[in-house]
Amino acid sequence: MVGAEQTVRVSFAEGWDLRSRTMLAPLSRSAAEDRDRAGKPYVMVHRVEGRTSPIEVHLVAWDDSYVGAWAYDDQGRRTGEADWRLLEPGRLFLRHLGVWRYDSEDQAEFAPEAGRSYVDLFPGGKGRKVSEPKGARGGSRHTLAGIPEEDRWRARSEFGVSGLRQLFVSQSLPQGWQPDVEDSAERDGGADRGQRRRRPAFPLGAPASGPA
């Protein structure tokens, strides 16, 4: 979470290397604006002073009607992801939102035992929420998404260069979103083991030079 007194600094690049957490082919703001207008993909890297890892990284690809976002913790692990789709000319729809919870500072990114929750949403109020408090090695619980329709949409002006310093995962989560922390494996007797794997918005270990 970013404190009110902290200034978010934004850098631009053509891509983002997930393994090294470095920008590929850095861009000036004006060059990023040119790519934005042309619909070409680019990334926005959000940082605050005193942290080596970014707060969030956004991939903007208007030609593909797509904006992806990753949130990072102090250890450089991804803790959240969001997948936005330009379904209407002036509005984006939150198609997917997910978070991971790590139990210690040295737990590996996406460790099988790391707890996670995610929602997959569809227009018209449809969607589901999946909670895996003990990660892939524990039980899972499937419920309705619980996010109101009006909170699934955001104006296009909030994304990309025009929405500079907007944070979509580490802050300003939609109403109704609350990751589960209880042990559903104990409650449900370990039924429906969570073996699902979703391809992330940026493929693991590959440059974020275009949508997955």
PDB file of all heavy atoms in Angstrom, residues 157-191:
ATOM      1  N   SER A 157     -10.005   6.816 -19.740  1.00  0.00           N
ATOM      2  CA  SER A 157      -9.105   7.922 -19.382  1.00  0.00           C
ATOM      3  C   SER A 157      -8.294   7.628 -18.125  1.00  0.00           C
ATOM      4  O   SER A 157      -7.310   8.319 -17.846  1.00  0.00           O
ATOM      5  CB  SER A 157      -9.910   9.211 -19.187  1.00  0.00           C
ATOM      6  OG  SER A 157     -10.872   9.054 -18.157  1.00  0.00           O
ATOM      7  N   GLU A 158      -8.677   6.606 -17.340  1.00  0.00           N
ATOM      8  CA  GLU A 158      -7.933   6.248 -16.129  1.00  0.00           C
ATOM      9  C   GLU A 158      -6.758   5.320 -16.421  1.00  0.00           C
ATOM     10  O   GLU A 158      -5.981   5.011 -15.520  1.00  0.00           O
ATOM     11  CB  GLU A 158      -8.866   5.572 -15.125  1.00  0.00           C
ATOM     12  CG  GLU A 158      -9.996   6.464 -14.630  1.00  0.00           C
ATOM     13  CD  GLU A 158     -10.852   5.763 -13.604  1.00  0.00           C
ATOM     14  OE1 GLU A 158     -10.282   5.114 -12.699  1.00  0.00           O
ATOM     15  OE2 GLU A 158     -12.091   5.840 -13.703  1.00  0.00           O
ATOM     16  N   PHE A 159      -6.607   4.901 -17.668  1.00  0.00           N
ATOM     17  CA  PHE A 159      -5.586   3.922 -18.020  1.00  0.00           C
ATOM     18  C   PHE A 159      -4.532   4.542 -18.932  1.00  0.00           C
ATOM     19  O   PHE A 159      -4.784   5.526 -19.629  1.00  0.00           O
ATOM     20  CB  PHE A 159      -6.219   2.724 -18.732  1.00  0.00           C
ATOM     21  CG  PHE A 159      -7.164   1.934 -17.881  1.00  0.00           C
ATOM     22  CD1 PHE A 159      -8.493   2.316 -17.772  1.00  0.00           C
ATOM     23  CD2 PHE A 159      -6.736   0.817 -17.182  1.00  0.00           C
ATOM     24  CE1 PHE A 159      -9.373   1.590 -16.990  1.00  0.00           C
ATOM     25  CE2 PHE A 159      -7.610   0.086 -16.397  1.00  0.00           C
ATOM     26  CZ  PHE A 159      -8.930   0.471 -16.296  1.00  0.00           C
ATOM     27  N   GLY A 160      -3.354   3.920 -18.920  1.00  0.00           N
ATOM     28  CA  GLY A 160      -2.295   4.377 -19.804  1.00  0.00           C
ATOM     29  C   GLY A 160      -1.731   5.722 -19.407  1.00  0.00           C
ATOM     30  O   GLY A 160      -1.850   6.162 -18.253  1.00  0.00           O
ATOM     31  N   VAL A 161      -1.123   6.393 -20.356  1.00  0.00           N
ATOM     32  CA  VAL A 161      -0.476   7.683 -20.079  1.00  0.00           C
ATOM     33  C   VAL A 161      -1.482   8.699 -19.556  1.00  0.00           C
ATOM     34  O   VAL A 161      -1.164   9.514 -18.682  1.00  0.00           O
ATOM     35  CB  VAL A 161       0.219   8.209 -21.352  1.00  0.00           C
ATOM     36  CG1 VAL A 161       0.870   9.557 -21.082  1.00  0.00           C
ATOM     37  CG2 VAL A 161       1.268   7.221 -21.840  1.00  0.00           C
ATOM     38  N   SER A 162      -2.703   8.665 -20.033  1.00  0.00           N
ATOM     39  CA  SER A 162      -3.701   9.634 -19.588  1.00  0.00           C
ATOM     40  C   SER A 162      -4.121   9.407 -18.147  1.00  0.00           C
ATOM     41  O   SER A 162      -4.636  10.320 -17.489  1.00  0.00           O
ATOM     42  CB  SER A 162      -4.934   9.589 -20.499  1.00  0.00           C
ATOM     43  OG  SER A 162      -5.532   8.305 -20.461  1.00  0.00           O
ATOM     44  N   GLY A 163      -3.913   8.201 -17.619  1.00  0.00           N
ATOM     45  CA  GLY A 163      -4.264   7.906 -16.232  1.00  0.00           C
ATOM     46  C   GLY A 163      -3.039   7.764 -15.358  1.00  0.00           C
ATOM     47  O   GLY A 163      -2.979   6.879 -14.504  1.00  0.00           O
ATOM     48  N   LEU A 164      -2.071   8.621 -15.559  1.00  0.00           N
ATOM     49  CA  LEU A 164      -0.782   8.527 -14.867  1.00  0.00           C
ATOM     50  C   LEU A 164      -0.962   8.414 -13.356  1.00  0.00           C
ATOM     51  O   LEU A 164      -1.726   9.162 -12.760  1.00  0.00           O
ATOM     52  CB  LEU A 164       0.058   9.760 -15.203  1.00  0.00           C
ATOM     53  CG  LEU A 164       1.577   9.639 -15.019  1.00  0.00           C
ATOM     54  CD1 LEU A 164       2.149   8.593 -15.954  1.00  0.00           C
ATOM     55  CD2 LEU A 164       2.240  10.983 -15.275  1.00  0.00           C
ATOM     56  N   ARG A 165      -0.226   7.456 -12.765  1.00  0.00           N
ATOM     57  CA  ARG A 165      -0.170   7.193 -11.322  1.00  0.00           C
ATOM     58  C   ARG A 165      -1.421   6.517 -10.768  1.00  0.00           C
ATOM     59  O   ARG A 165      -1.585   6.410  -9.560  1.00  0.00           O
ATOM     60  CB  ARG A 165       0.140   8.476 -10.524  1.00  0.00           C
ATOM     61  CG  ARG A 165       1.503   9.064 -10.854  1.00  0.00           C
ATOM     62  CD  ARG A 165       1.875  10.229  -9.932  1.00  0.00           C
ATOM     63  NE  ARG A 165       3.188  10.740 -10.274  1.00  0.00           N
ATOM     64  CZ  ARG A 165       3.420  11.644 -11.219  1.00  0.00           C
ATOM     65  NH1 ARG A 165       2.409  12.137 -11.910  1.00  0.00           N
ATOM     66  NH2 ARG A 165       4.646  12.050 -11.483  1.00  0.00           N
ATOM     67  N   GLN A 166      -2.315   6.049 -11.621  1.00  0.00           N
ATOM     68  CA  GLN A 166      -3.428   5.241 -11.147  1.00  0.00           C
ATOM     69  C   GLN A 166      -2.902   3.850 -10.785  1.00  0.00           C
ATOM     70  O   GLN A 166      -2.127   3.257 -11.532  1.00  0.00           O
ATOM     71  CB  GLN A 166      -4.490   5.103 -12.251  1.00  0.00           C
ATOM     72  CG  GLN A 166      -5.270   6.371 -12.527  1.00  0.00           C
ATOM     73  CD  GLN A 166      -6.411   6.563 -11.543  1.00  0.00           C
ATOM     74  OE1 GLN A 166      -6.691   5.700 -10.711  1.00  0.00           O
ATOM     75  NE2 GLN A 166      -7.062   7.708 -11.620  1.00  0.00           N
ATOM     76  N   LEU A 167      -3.313   3.351  -9.616  1.00  0.00           N
ATOM     77  CA  LEU A 167      -2.912   2.019  -9.167  1.00  0.00           C
ATOM     78  C   LEU A 167      -4.164   1.137  -9.109  1.00  0.00           C
ATOM     79  O   LEU A 167      -5.141   1.492  -8.460  1.00  0.00           O
ATOM     80  CB  LEU A 167      -2.233   2.096  -7.804  1.00  0.00           C
ATOM     81  CG  LEU A 167      -0.952   2.932  -7.759  1.00  0.00           C
ATOM     82  CD1 LEU A 167      -0.416   3.009  -6.326  1.00  0.00           C
ATOM     83  CD2 LEU A 167       0.115   2.357  -8.692  1.00  0.00           C
ATOM     84  N   PHE A 168      -4.123  -0.007  -9.797  1.00  0.00           N
ATOM     85  CA  PHE A 168      -5.312  -0.818  -9.969  1.00  0.00           C
ATOM     86  C   PHE A 168      -5.362  -2.063  -9.101  1.00  0.00           C
ATOM     87  O   PHE A 168      -6.411  -2.680  -8.969  1.00  0.00           O
ATOM     88  CB  PHE A 168      -5.426  -1.245 -11.440  1.00  0.00           C
ATOM     89  CG  PHE A 168      -5.505  -0.098 -12.396  1.00  0.00           C
ATOM     90  CD1 PHE A 168      -4.623   0.001 -13.459  1.00  0.00           C
ATOM     91  CD2 PHE A 168      -6.456   0.891 -12.232  1.00  0.00           C
ATOM     92  CE1 PHE A 168      -4.695   1.059 -14.341  1.00  0.00           C
ATOM     93  CE2 PHE A 168      -6.543   1.962 -13.105  1.00  0.00           C
ATOM     94  CZ  PHE A 168      -5.654   2.047 -14.172  1.00  0.00           C
ATOM     95  N   VAL A 169      -4.257  -2.476  -8.519  1.00  0.00           N
ATOM     96  CA  VAL A 169      -4.228  -3.715  -7.747  1.00  0.00           C
ATOM     97  C   VAL A 169      -3.842  -3.448  -6.300  1.00  0.00           C
ATOM     98  O   VAL A 169      -4.457  -3.966  -5.374  1.00  0.00           O
ATOM     99  CB  VAL A 169      -3.260  -4.743  -8.366  1.00  0.00           C
ATOM    100  CG1 VAL A 169      -3.395  -6.083  -7.658  1.00  0.00           C
ATOM    101  CG2 VAL A 169      -3.514  -4.906  -9.853  1.00  0.00           C
ATOM    102  N   SER A 170      -2.812  -2.637  -6.084  1.00  0.00           N
ATOM    103  CA  SER A 170      -2.371  -2.354  -4.720  1.00  0.00           C
ATOM    104  C   SER A 170      -3.271  -1.341  -4.024  1.00  0.00           C
ATOM    105  O   SER A 170      -3.254  -1.232  -2.797  1.00  0.00           O
ATOM    106  CB  SER A 170      -0.924  -1.839  -4.724  1.00  0.00           C
ATOM    107  OG  SER A 170      -0.785  -0.716  -5.564  1.00  0.00           O
ATOM    108  N   GLN A 171      -4.063  -0.601  -4.791  1.00  0.00           N
ATOM    109  CA  GLN A 171      -5.016   0.349  -4.233  1.00  0.00           C
ATOM    110  C   GLN A 171      -6.284   0.321  -5.077  1.00  0.00           C
ATOM    111  O   GLN A 171      -6.327  -0.256  -6.160  1.00  0.00           O
ATOM    112  CB  GLN A 171      -4.441   1.771  -4.206  1.00  0.00           C
ATOM    113  CG  GLN A 171      -3.312   1.960  -3.218  1.00  0.00           C
ATOM    114  CD  GLN A 171      -2.863   3.412  -3.154  1.00  0.00           C
ATOM    115  OE1 GLN A 171      -3.055   4.185  -4.071  1.00  0.00           O
ATOM    116  NE2 GLN A 171      -2.242   3.772  -2.051  1.00  0.00           N
ATOM    117  N   SER A 172      -7.325   0.977  -4.581  1.00  0.00           N
ATOM    118  CA  SER A 172      -8.592   1.195  -5.302  1.00  0.00           C
ATOM    119  C   SER A 172      -9.183  -0.085  -5.874  1.00  0.00           C
ATOM    120  O   SER A 172      -9.608  -0.134  -7.023  1.00  0.00           O
ATOM    121  CB  SER A 172      -8.413   2.235  -6.423  1.00  0.00           C
ATOM    122  OG  SER A 172      -7.530   1.786  -7.430  1.00  0.00           O
ATOM    123  N   LEU A 173      -9.224  -1.153  -5.053  1.00  0.00           N
ATOM    124  CA  LEU A 173      -9.887  -2.373  -5.478  1.00  0.00           C
ATOM    125  C   LEU A 173     -11.397  -2.164  -5.492  1.00  0.00           C
ATOM    126  O   LEU A 173     -11.922  -1.335  -4.749  1.00  0.00           O
ATOM    127  CB  LEU A 173      -9.521  -3.525  -4.539  1.00  0.00           C
ATOM    128  CG  LEU A 173      -8.060  -3.970  -4.576  1.00  0.00           C
ATOM    129  CD1 LEU A 173      -7.806  -5.015  -3.509  1.00  0.00           C
ATOM    130  CD2 LEU A 173      -7.683  -4.508  -5.942  1.00  0.00           C
ATOM    131  N   PRO A 174     -12.122  -2.887  -6.328  1.00  0.00           N
ATOM    132  CA  PRO A 174     -13.568  -2.662  -6.425  1.00  0.00           C
ATOM    133  C   PRO A 174     -14.297  -3.063  -5.162  1.00  0.00           C
ATOM    134  O   PRO A 174     -13.837  -3.904  -4.392  1.00  0.00           O
ATOM    135  CB  PRO A 174     -13.984  -3.543  -7.604  1.00  0.00           C
ATOM    136  CG  PRO A 174     -12.940  -4.601  -7.666  1.00  0.00           C
ATOM    137  CD  PRO A 174     -11.665  -3.924  -7.255  1.00  0.00           C
ATOM    138  N   GLN A 175     -15.472  -2.465  -4.962  1.00  0.00           N
ATOM    139  CA  GLN A 175     -16.307  -2.829  -3.828  1.00  0.00           C
ATOM    140  C   GLN A 175     -16.702  -4.292  -3.936  1.00  0.00           C
ATOM    141  O   GLN A 175     -16.900  -4.828  -5.015  1.00  0.00           O
ATOM    142  CB  GLN A 175     -17.575  -1.972  -3.796  1.00  0.00           C
ATOM    143  CG  GLN A 175     -17.361  -0.578  -3.255  1.00  0.00           C
ATOM    144  CD  GLN A 175     -18.688   0.125  -3.053  1.00  0.00           C
ATOM    145  OE1 GLN A 175     -19.667  -0.189  -3.700  1.00  0.00           O
ATOM    146  NE2 GLN A 175     -18.718   1.080  -2.153  1.00  0.00           N
ATOM    147  N   GLY A 176     -16.826  -4.933  -2.787  1.00  0.00           N
ATOM    148  CA  GLY A 176     -17.225  -6.331  -2.775  1.00  0.00           C
ATOM    149  C   GLY A 176     -16.060  -7.298  -2.861  1.00  0.00           C
ATOM    150  O   GLY A 176     -16.241  -8.501  -2.710  1.00  0.00           O
ATOM    151  N   TRP A 177     -14.841  -6.769  -3.109  1.00  0.00           N
ATOM    152  CA  TRP A 177     -13.682  -7.661  -3.212  1.00  0.00           C
ATOM    153  C   TRP A 177     -13.007  -7.774  -1.863  1.00  0.00           C
ATOM    154  O   TRP A 177     -12.534  -6.801  -1.300  1.00  0.00           O
ATOM    155  CB  TRP A 177     -12.689  -7.139  -4.234  1.00  0.00           C
ATOM    156  CG  TRP A 177     -11.381  -7.882  -4.176  1.00  0.00           C
ATOM    157  CD1 TRP A 177     -10.205  -7.419  -3.660  1.00  0.00           C
ATOM    158  CD2 TRP A 177     -11.132  -9.217  -4.597  1.00  0.00           C
ATOM    159  NE1 TRP A 177      -9.238  -8.394  -3.747  1.00  0.00           N
ATOM    160  CE2 TRP A 177      -9.771  -9.507  -4.320  1.00  0.00           C
ATOM    161  CE3 TRP A 177     -11.918 -10.205  -5.191  1.00  0.00           C
ATOM    162  CZ2 TRP A 177      -9.196 -10.738  -4.614  1.00  0.00           C
ATOM    163  CZ3 TRP A 177     -11.335 -11.430  -5.475  1.00  0.00           C
ATOM    164  CH2 TRP A 177      -9.987 -11.676  -5.200  1.00  0.00           C
ATOM    165  N   GLN A 178     -12.986  -8.997  -1.331  1.00  0.00           N
ATOM    166  CA  GLN A 178     -12.315  -9.253  -0.066  1.00  0.00           C
ATOM    167  C   GLN A 178     -11.707 -10.641  -0.127  1.00  0.00           C
ATOM    168  O   GLN A 178     -12.418 -11.642  -0.068  1.00  0.00           O
ATOM    169  CB  GLN A 178     -13.295  -9.170   1.115  1.00  0.00           C
ATOM    170  CG  GLN A 178     -12.660  -9.466   2.476  1.00  0.00           C
ATOM    171  CD  GLN A 178     -11.537  -8.498   2.805  1.00  0.00           C
ATOM    172  OE1 GLN A 178     -11.709  -7.293   2.695  1.00  0.00           O
ATOM    173  NE2 GLN A 178     -10.395  -9.031   3.199  1.00  0.00           N
ATOM    174  N   PRO A 179     -10.378 -10.750  -0.289  1.00  0.00           N
ATOM    175  CA  PRO A 179      -9.765 -12.077  -0.353  1.00  0.00           C
ATOM    176  C   PRO A 179     -10.043 -12.872   0.914  1.00  0.00           C
ATOM    177  O   PRO A 179     -10.020 -12.335   2.014  1.00  0.00           O
ATOM    178  CB  PRO A 179      -8.271 -11.772  -0.496  1.00  0.00           C
ATOM    179  CG  PRO A 179      -8.220 -10.377  -1.023  1.00  0.00           C
ATOM    180  CD  PRO A 179      -9.405  -9.673  -0.441  1.00  0.00           C
ATOM    181  N   ASP A 180     -10.341 -14.165   0.767  1.00  0.00           N
ATOM    182  CA  ASP A 180     -10.598 -15.019   1.915  1.00  0.00           C
ATOM    183  C   ASP A 180      -9.297 -15.369   2.615  1.00  0.00           C
ATOM    184  O   ASP A 180      -8.281 -15.593   1.973  1.00  0.00           O
ATOM    185  CB  ASP A 180     -11.284 -16.314   1.472  1.00  0.00           C
ATOM    186  CG  ASP A 180     -12.736 -16.077   1.070  1.00  0.00           C
ATOM    187  OD1 ASP A 180     -13.297 -15.064   1.509  1.00  0.00           O
ATOM    188  OD2 ASP A 180     -13.283 -16.895   0.323  1.00  0.00           O
ATOM    189  N   VAL A 181      -9.353 -15.438   3.942  1.00  0.00           N
ATOM    190  CA  VAL A 181      -8.176 -15.810   4.714  1.00  0.00           C
ATOM    191  C   VAL A 181      -8.437 -17.017   5.593  1.00  0.00           C
ATOM    192  O   VAL A 181      -7.526 -17.553   6.198  1.00  0.00           O
ATOM    193  CB  VAL A 181      -7.696 -14.637   5.605  1.00  0.00           C
ATOM    194  CG1 VAL A 181      -7.236 -13.480   4.739  1.00  0.00           C
ATOM    195  CG2 VAL A 181      -8.801 -14.181   6.548  1.00  0.00           C
ATOM    196  N   GLU A 182      -9.691 -17.458   5.662  1.00  0.00           N
ATOM    197  CA  GLU A 182      -9.984 -18.614   6.503  1.00  0.00           C
ATOM    198  C   GLU A 182      -9.533 -19.888   5.815  1.00  0.00           C
ATOM    199  O   GLU A 182      -9.319 -19.924   4.606  1.00  0.00           O
ATOM    200  CB  GLU A 182     -11.479 -18.684   6.816  1.00  0.00           C
ATOM    201  CG  GLU A 182     -12.339 -18.947   5.593  1.00  0.00           C
ATOM    202  CD  GLU A 182     -13.811 -19.019   5.934  1.00  0.00           C
ATOM    203  OE1 GLU A 182     -14.111 -19.130   7.125  1.00  0.00           O
ATOM    204  OE2 GLU A 182     -14.629 -18.978   5.022  1.00  0.00           O
ATOM    205  N   ASP A 183      -9.382 -20.942   6.588  1.00  0.00           N
ATOM    206  CA  ASP A 183      -8.901 -22.222   6.071  1.00  0.00           C
ATOM    207  C   ASP A 183     -10.080 -23.035   5.544  1.00  0.00           C
ATOM    208  O   ASP A 183     -10.731 -23.754   6.275  1.00  0.00           O
ATOM    209  CB  ASP A 183      -8.179 -22.992   7.179  1.00  0.00           C
ATOM    210  CG  ASP A 183      -7.534 -24.259   6.621  1.00  0.00           C
ATOM    211  OD1 ASP A 183      -7.701 -24.555   5.429  1.00  0.00           O
ATOM    212  OD2 ASP A 183      -6.866 -24.938   7.414  1.00  0.00           O
ATOM    213  N   SER A 184     -10.349 -22.903   4.255  1.00  0.00           N
ATOM    214  CA  SER A 184     -11.467 -23.631   3.668  1.00  0.00           C
ATOM    215  C   SER A 184     -11.192 -25.124   3.597  1.00  0.00           C
ATOM    216  O   SER A 184     -12.107 -25.929   3.503  1.00  0.00           O
ATOM    217  CB  SER A 184     -11.779 -23.101   2.268  1.00  0.00           C
ATOM    218  OG  SER A 184     -10.706 -23.359   1.392  1.00  0.00           O
ATOM    219  N   ALA A 185      -9.918 -25.526   3.633  1.00  0.00           N
ATOM    220  CA  ALA A 185      -9.595 -26.951   3.601  1.00  0.00           C
ATOM    221  C   ALA A 185     -10.142 -27.645   4.850  1.00  0.00           C
ATOM    222  O   ALA A 185     -10.659 -28.758   4.787  1.00  0.00           O
ATOM    223  CB  ALA A 185      -8.094 -27.149   3.507  1.00  0.00           C
ATOM    224  N   GLU A 186     -10.032 -26.985   6.003  1.00  0.00           N
ATOM    225  CA  GLU A 186     -10.547 -27.567   7.232  1.00  0.00           C
ATOM    226  C   GLU A 186     -12.073 -27.553   7.231  1.00  0.00           C
ATOM    227  O   GLU A 186     -12.714 -28.500   7.633  1.00  0.00           O
ATOM    228  CB  GLU A 186     -10.015 -26.795   8.441  1.00  0.00           C
ATOM    229  CG  GLU A 186      -8.528 -26.976   8.656  1.00  0.00           C
ATOM    230  CD  GLU A 186      -8.042 -26.215   9.877  1.00  0.00           C
ATOM    231  OE1 GLU A 186      -8.881 -25.573  10.540  1.00  0.00           O
ATOM    232  OE2 GLU A 186      -6.839 -26.258  10.147  1.00  0.00           O
ATOM    233  N   ARG A 187     -12.654 -26.441   6.746  1.00  0.00           N
ATOM    234  CA  ARG A 187     -14.100 -26.320   6.773  1.00  0.00           C
ATOM    235  C   ARG A 187     -14.779 -27.285   5.815  1.00  0.00           C
ATOM    236  O   ARG A 187     -15.801 -27.888   6.103  1.00  0.00           O
ATOM    237  CB  ARG A 187     -14.499 -24.884   6.415  1.00  0.00           C
ATOM    238  CG  ARG A 187     -15.976 -24.594   6.607  1.00  0.00           C
ATOM    239  CD  ARG A 187     -16.384 -23.360   5.830  1.00  0.00           C
ATOM    240  NE  ARG A 187     -16.192 -23.614   4.407  1.00  0.00           N
ATOM    241  CZ  ARG A 187     -16.149 -22.657   3.505  1.00  0.00           C
ATOM    242  NH1 ARG A 187     -16.232 -21.395   3.869  1.00  0.00           N
ATOM    243  NH2 ARG A 187     -15.987 -22.940   2.230  1.00  0.00           N
ATOM    244  N   ASP A 188     -14.183 -27.442   4.608  1.00  0.00           N
ATOM    245  CA  ASP A 188     -14.804 -28.255   3.566  1.00  0.00           C
ATOM    246  C   ASP A 188     -14.230 -29.667   3.495  1.00  0.00           C
ATOM    247  O   ASP A 188     -14.544 -30.412   2.579  1.00  0.00           O
ATOM    248  CB  ASP A 188     -14.623 -27.584   2.202  1.00  0.00           C
ATOM    249  CG  ASP A 188     -15.287 -26.219   2.173  1.00  0.00           C
ATOM    250  OD1 ASP A 188     -16.270 -26.041   2.909  1.00  0.00           O
ATOM    251  OD2 ASP A 188     -14.829 -25.342   1.415  1.00  0.00           O
ATOM    252  N   GLY A 189     -13.343 -30.013   4.418  1.00  0.00           N
ATOM    253  CA  GLY A 189     -12.801 -31.354   4.421  1.00  0.00           C
ATOM    254  C   GLY A 189     -11.842 -31.628   3.292  1.00  0.00           C
ATOM    255  O   GLY A 189     -11.629 -32.761   2.888  1.00  0.00           O
ATOM    256  N   GLY A 190     -11.250 -30.542   2.755  1.00  0.00           N
ATOM    257  CA  GLY A 190     -10.253 -30.723   1.711  1.00  0.00           C
ATOM    258  C   GLY A 190     -10.828 -31.063   0.355  1.00  0.00           C
ATOM    259  O   GLY A 190     -10.112 -31.480  -0.546  1.00  0.00           O
ATOM    260  N   ALA A 191     -12.141 -30.910   0.175  1.00  0.00           N
ATOM    261  CA  ALA A 191     -12.745 -31.245  -1.107  1.00  0.00           C
ATOM    262  C   ALA A 191     -12.329 -30.259  -2.177  1.00  0.00           C
ATOM    263  O   ALA A 191     -11.971 -29.121  -1.897  1.00  0.00           O
ATOM    264  CB  ALA A 191     -14.274 -31.243  -0.961  1.00  0.00           C
TER     265      ALA A 191
END
